[in-house]
Amino acid sequence: MKPSSVRAAAAGLLALVLLAGCGPSDADEAGSEASPRAAAIPAEAEIPDTLQAGRRAYDQRCASCHGPAGTGTRAGPPLVHSIYRPAHHADAAFLLAVRNGVRAHHWRFGDMPPLPGVAEAEVRQIVAWVRWLQRRAGIE
């Protein structure tokens, strides 16, 4: 097998085991470990200017499944949850999930499809926003 094929296969496999995606079920295998503080959508004045682009991109690309403050919906899991803490899901996991999609494994929401047309720079902004929401909720 060519090294490039091995890298592509490894990246796809990594994406499949890193994040759960959107889908029809609202059942939750992982439990509810998100902090109650996570449920509050931050006031505009609380949000640092450096995170505004990430907030807007998240609202446009992610909130319909993952909730307006990363708390999840009936269609997708909460990203402001201890499962997605940086030590368990590195920032690169989000990029791989967007690029390749993810087979459901922590939750029963179904697989997350790839999101074509989302630039890597935009994903980095989204991740910065999600990490800030996580820190506000005491998830580090």
Side-chain angles (χ1 to χ4, degrees):
M1 196 176 225
K2 293 181 182 179
S4 61
S5 297
V6 171
R7 280 193 302 273
L13 181 60
L14 181 61
L16 291 176
V17 298
L18 289 178
L19 293 174
C22 293
S25 173
D26 66 343
D28 164 356
E29 287 181 355
S32 180
E33 299 175 28
S35 165
R37 291 184 298 153
I41 297 172
E44 193 69 30
E46 292 180 76
I47 303 169
D49 290 342
T50 57
L51 296 175
Q52 291 293 344
R55 178 192 59 81
R56 286 188 300 274
Y58 176 90
D59 287 349
Q60 178 185 12
R61 308 259 192 202
C62 312
S64 63
C65 286
H66 297 291
T71 57
T73 69
R74 294 177 69 71
L79 297 178
V80 178
H81 189 284
S82 62
I83 283 180
Y84 298 108
R85 70 190 180 281
H88 188 66
H89 285 91
D91 294 357
F94 290 89
L95 175 62
L96 290 170
V98 169
R99 187 182 298 154
N100 302 325
V102 181
R103 188 167 289 205
H105 62 284
H106 286 303
W107 313 89
R108 295 183 196 163
F109 291 99
D111 298 342
M112 177 179 163
L115 301 174
V118 182
E120 185 173 336
E122 188 175 8
V123 175
R124 281 194 298 267
Q125 292 171 331
I126 291 168
V127 170
W129 169 247
V130 169
R131 295 302 191 205
W132 183 76
L133 291 171
Q134 289 174 337
R135 285 189 301 277
R136 287 181 76 243
I139 299 168
E140 296 193 45

